[in-house]
């Protein structure tokens, strides 16, 4: 059964930001990082030893960065400037809670900046300003509660990306609009009409026409993570949820769920 986290998040939100980061991330393996010598974009920094650090758990608006025909996402320059104002030329500690290197050779870490006003958790700072959103992976799921809390406050306040239609939460009952966002990372809200298991997968259907309407698909490897967390996704039938992930087009718009944190339960009935 999914457990509501609203009380937990409200409690965390009331705590001091430094102590909250310590509490939320006490499971991290901490290491000295070095000095940030460059900020590539709103979720990537380079250290004085040459390591490229991808700030795990967040996704900031993207810049082209020499990729041909890649558009600049709205507020991408502002996100880079905000991260630079926090981290550039500052010493950092790195926190590891899962896979440590991605396929591009970037280090995957939580970044704690030793700034003039005390230590700042860079991921939380960016999400709190509305200049990044939560973006998690099945092999790197540490410290997400505080990031979700910060994102929720920024979204309610309409900060940063949350005031730009490019990043709007999409409606699950508007499949045409979702198809137009195929290939994009989106947040989608709606009520699950039917939750069913078939062929080793669980399908969360948001409409009666499964070849046209929006669907969230939980594959077998993800179902094992749900089971380890004591969560049965079939109980989501009739629940109002927020799904986050990459939209593709297979029998209508869909998002593949690879781990439980991609689903936020907003109401059970």
């Amino acid at each position: 059964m999914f457990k509501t986290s609203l009380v937990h998040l409200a409690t965390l939100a009331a705590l001091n930001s430094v102590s909250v980061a310590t509490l939320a991330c006490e499971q991290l393996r901490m290491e000295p990082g070095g000095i940030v010598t460059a900020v590539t974009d709103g979720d990537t920094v380079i250290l004085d030893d040459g390591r490229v650090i991808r700030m795990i758990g967040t996704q900031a608006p993207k810049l082209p960065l020499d990729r041909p025909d890649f558009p600049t996402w709205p507020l991408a320059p502002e996100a880079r400037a905000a991260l630079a104002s926090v981290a550039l030329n500052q010493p950092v500690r790195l926190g590891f809670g899962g896979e440590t290197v991605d396929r591009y050779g970037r280090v995957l870490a939580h970044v704690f900046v030793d700034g003039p006003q005390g230590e700042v958790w860079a991921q939380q700072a960016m999400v709190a300003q509305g200049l990044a959103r939560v973006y998690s992976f099945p092999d790197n799921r540490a410290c997400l509660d505080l990031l979700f809390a910060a994102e929720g406050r920024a979204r309610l306040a309409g900060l940063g990306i949350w005031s730009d239609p490019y990043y709007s939460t999409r409606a699950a009952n508007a499949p045409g609009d979702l198809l137009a966002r195929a290939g994009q990372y989106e947040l989608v809200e709606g009520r699950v009409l039917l939750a069913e298991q078939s062929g080793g997968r669980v399908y969360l259907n948001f409409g009666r026409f499964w070849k046209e309407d929006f669907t969230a698909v939980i594959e077998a490897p993800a179902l094992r993570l749900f089971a380890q967390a004591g969560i049965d996704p079939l109980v989501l039938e009739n629940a109002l949820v927020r799904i986050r992930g990459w939209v593709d087009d297979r029998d209508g718009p869909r998002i593949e769920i690879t781990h439980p944190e991609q689903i936020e339960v907003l109401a059970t009935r």
Side-chain angles (χ1 to χ4, degrees), residues 41-249:
D41 58 19
D43 55 37
T44 311
V45 300
I46 301 175
L47 301 184
D48 53 353
D49 61 7
R51 284 183 294 171
V52 178
I53 312 299
R54 171 65 171 88
M55 289 166 44
I56 197 67
T58 61
Q59 181 196 59
K62 296 300 181 188
L63 293 163
L65 301 177
D66 298 324
R67 288 173 286 191
D69 301 320
F70 189 96
T72 297
W73 293 10
L75 294 176
E78 290 84 349
R80 179 169 63 181
L83 182 56
S85 71
V86 171
L88 188 59
N89 299 321
Q90 300 296 325
V92 298
R93 296 191 302 150
L94 303 179
F96 299 95
E99 288 296 313
T100 58
V101 180
D102 69 9
R103 59 179 176 172
Y104 304 109
R106 300 176 299 183
V107 175
L108 304 174
H110 290 269
V111 175
F112 296 88
V113 182
D114 185 11
Q117 304 302 318
E119 190 170 69
V120 175
W121 181 14
Q123 275 94 328
Q124 186 189 49
M126 293 296 293
V127 172
Q129 294 177 76
L131 292 174
R133 54 189 170 182
V134 179
Y135 180 53
S136 55
F137 294 85
D139 54 9
N140 225 316
R141 300 156 60 199
C143 310
L144 292 178
D145 276 356
L146 275 174
L147 295 180
F148 277 119
E151 182 189 276
R153 292 192 296 272
R155 187 168 56 246
L156 286 173
L159 299 180
I161 64 175
W162 305 114
S163 65
D164 191 301
Y166 186 88
Y167 303 99
S168 293
T169 300
R170 313 297 170 184
N173 63 357
D177 292 344
L178 288 172
L179 281 177
R181 303 293 293 176
Q184 302 293 323
Y185 187 83
E186 300 292 339
L187 276 62
V188 181
E189 286 185 10
R191 193 170 293 277
V192 178
L193 180 67
L194 177 66
E196 61 178 353
Q197 186 157 5
S198 175
R201 302 178 179 90
V202 166
Y203 296 89
L204 305 180
N205 296 301
F206 290 79
R208 298 186 181 279
F209 303 102
W210 60 270
K211 285 200 172 185
E212 300 175 9
D213 290 317
F214 174 64
T215 305
V217 182
I218 309 174
E219 300 281 356
L223 287 175
R224 290 193 285 271
L225 295 180
F226 277 79
Q228 290 170 14
I231 298 170
D232 179 5
L234 294 177
V235 305
L236 290 174
E237 189 164 305
N238 297 316
L240 180 66
V241 299
R242 180 184 301 123
I243 305 285
R244 65 182 66 216
W246 293 92
V247 177
D248 62 35
D249 179 7

